Amino acid sequence: MKGKKVLLLLLAGILMFGLVACSAEDGSLKQVKVAEVTRSIFYAPQYVAVEKGFFEEEGLEIDITTTWGGDKTMTALLSDGADIALVGSETSIYVYAQGASEPAINFAQLTQTDGTFLVAREPDDDFQWDDIKGKDYLGQRPGGMPQMVGEFVLKNNDIDLENDINLIQNVDYANIPNAFASGTGDYVQLFEPQASMFEEEGIGYIVASFGEESGKVPYTTFMTKEDYLTEDKETVKKFTRAIYKAQQWVDSASPEEIAEVVAPFFEDTEMELLATVVERYKSQNSMATDPILDEEEWNNLQNIMDESGQLPARVDYTDLVNIDIAEGVINE
């Protein structure tokens, strides 16, 4: 009887293997779970890759979940709730510094500047950074890339964070726009499309760009655990190829064309506003045109983190960045 049970189990295993092998060869798509740190037009190439069918052309079905915050995004990745994370590269440094047994490896860059804007209560065509002195400044989450870039830019413009402004950082990331709309802060650091929506509604007005002020950084990258990069290298390669196709398409397309394609991901945003936001990001070269994260950007990231007092330790470029797949895709 025991022998029959073992035989049945073996047969079941063989049958299951056959079904899996068949599904991999019969044209079905391989599912890849992606955790994105937020939903933003900033990430237009990712949505273009979905809507234009670039992932599907590579045999991939992408399941995108918005996790709303770097800590939550990394938790999803490290707990296998996601195969790939779209998040700021600083999170990979934090995880590495904590002695994680398996680091998160940055393999493809999506955005290359900060994506936030300084929004004031009133329009100001002659804004100077000194104007925020003595004012309430609603910032981003401590330790997150938006806040670190914000502090970096403020310090570069001779703003003393402790003495020149009242820095407010006790508002949860997702609630920052609502807090400003409700009257908190004279200035706020916001992503798009919220910043442009506030302009349309007369709630606030864009007076400066943190992306233009801070230079190139690996602001948002695709990363995965080391074992996934090794064991599913072909999947990562297909994923990167689809992203590169989308980056090239976005680079050559008009803001209106891009807006039309990504619109399904922003159902509550008017087409004209989408195009305005895309144009703003394209004009300051925020969206990378290829997936290469170069060493100069990596070092600039760590300089910004260091200036904000958030860098646990310098991490060598080759420890957490792997551009072999991205270079291979570009050179095909």
Side-chain angles (χ1 to χ4, degrees):
M1 180 65 70
K2 183 177 180 181
K4 288 183 177 179
K5 286 184 177 180
V6 172
L7 179 59
L8 288 172
L9 288 172
L10 286 172
L11 289 172
I14 293 170
L15 178 60
M16 287 300 295
F17 177 81
L19 289 173
V20 171
C22 181
S23 67
E25 296 174 358
D26 66 0
S28 61
L29 303 178
K30 178 178 176 62
Q31 187 181 64
V32 178
K33 296 177 291 183
V34 177
E36 61 173 9
V37 65
T38 189
R39 175 60 52 87
S40 175
I41 302 168
F42 199 30
Y43 307 150
Q46 174 182 238
Y47 311 129
V48 165
V50 173
E51 293 298 316
K52 296 288 286 184
F54 296 148
F55 284 123
E56 191 171 353
E57 288 174 5
E58 296 295 330
L60 304 179
E61 178 184 355
I62 305 302
D63 179 13
I64 300 175
T65 300
T66 308
T67 43
W68 302 111
D71 51 348
K72 297 180 180 67
T73 306
M74 291 306 288
T75 297
L77 179 65
L78 298 177
S79 65
D80 294 325
D83 302 310
I84 292 171
L86 176 62
V87 65
S89 288
E90 81 283 356
T91 57
S92 65
I93 295 176
Y94 293 146
V95 168
Y96 187 78
Q98 292 169 1
S101 58
E102 191 175 14
I105 305 298
N106 300 265
F107 68 86
Q109 180 166 308
L110 191 69
T111 63
Q112 59 187 11
T113 76
D114 182 274
T116 60
F117 297 85
L118 183 65
V119 176
R121 290 284 173 194
E122 301 294 335
D124 188 352
D125 293 334
D126 298 316
F127 171 78
Q128 303 295 321
W129 286 97
D130 279 353
D131 294 343
I132 74 172
K133 289 184 177 180
K135 303 296 177 60
D136 293 337
Y137 179 94
L138 182 54
Q140 294 279 328
R141 179 179 62 85
M145 202 61 205
Q147 179 59 30
M148 289 190 291
V149 169
E151 292 182 10
F152 180 78
V153 170
L154 292 178
K155 289 178 181 179
N156 280 353
N157 284 282
D158 299 319
I159 303 297
D160 186 320
L161 301 180
E162 294 185 2
N163 300 309
D164 287 341
I165 60 174
N166 174 30
L167 180 58
I168 303 169
Q169 290 183 286
N170 59 353
V171 179
D172 184 69
Y173 170 78
N175 294 325
I176 290 173
N178 289 336
F180 186 76
S182 299
T184 301
D186 299 304
Y187 292 89
V188 63
Q189 183 180 355
L190 290 178
F191 278 100
E192 291 283 25
Q194 194 65 62
S196 291
M197 288 173 65
F198 276 6
E199 283 195 326
E200 283 194 347
E201 298 166 6
I203 295 173
Y205 301 86
I206 296 172
V207 294
S209 164
F210 287 98
E212 291 179 345
E213 294 277 343
S214 60
K216 287 188 175 182
V217 292
Y219 200 80
T220 328
T221 64
F222 291 105
M223 61 183 73
T224 190
K225 292 198 295 185
E226 202 164 31
D227 66 344
Y228 191 85
L229 190 63
T230 301
E231 297 168 10
D232 287 88
K233 184 176 181 179
E234 190 60 30
T235 299
V236 177
K237 184 176 182 179
K238 291 177 179 179
F239 185 94
T240 304
R241 187 183 292 117
I243 290 297
Y244 180 50
K245 289 178 184 176
Q247 289 174 320
Q248 293 291 288
W249 187 89
V250 167
D251 187 44
S252 62
S254 70
E256 291 75 21
E257 290 173 318
I258 297 167
E260 185 175 350
V261 172
V262 305
F265 285 88
F266 303 94
E267 294 180 348
D268 296 330
T269 306
E270 295 179 359
M271 194 69 69
E272 185 177 348
L273 179 58
L274 282 174
T276 296
V277 174
V278 170
E279 169 60 28
R280 185 166 280 140
Y281 280 135
K282 279 175 69 75
S283 68
Q284 63 183 37
N285 298 314
S286 288
M287 294 177 283
T289 56
D290 66 56
I292 299 293
L293 191 172
D294 66 43
E295 191 165 2
E296 183 178 352
E297 292 173 305
W298 182 257
N299 291 334
N300 192 29
L301 164 69
Q302 295 194 85
N303 291 339
I304 289 173
M305 294 175 69
D306 192 25
E307 183 68 27
S308 297
Q310 299 291 340
L311 183 66
R314 288 266 169 185
V315 180
D316 191 73
Y317 174 72
T318 57
D319 287 339
L320 293 180
V321 180
N322 185 326
I323 61 171
D324 292 345
I325 290 175
E327 286 184 331
V329 164
I330 292 173
N331 292 327
E332 287 177 341

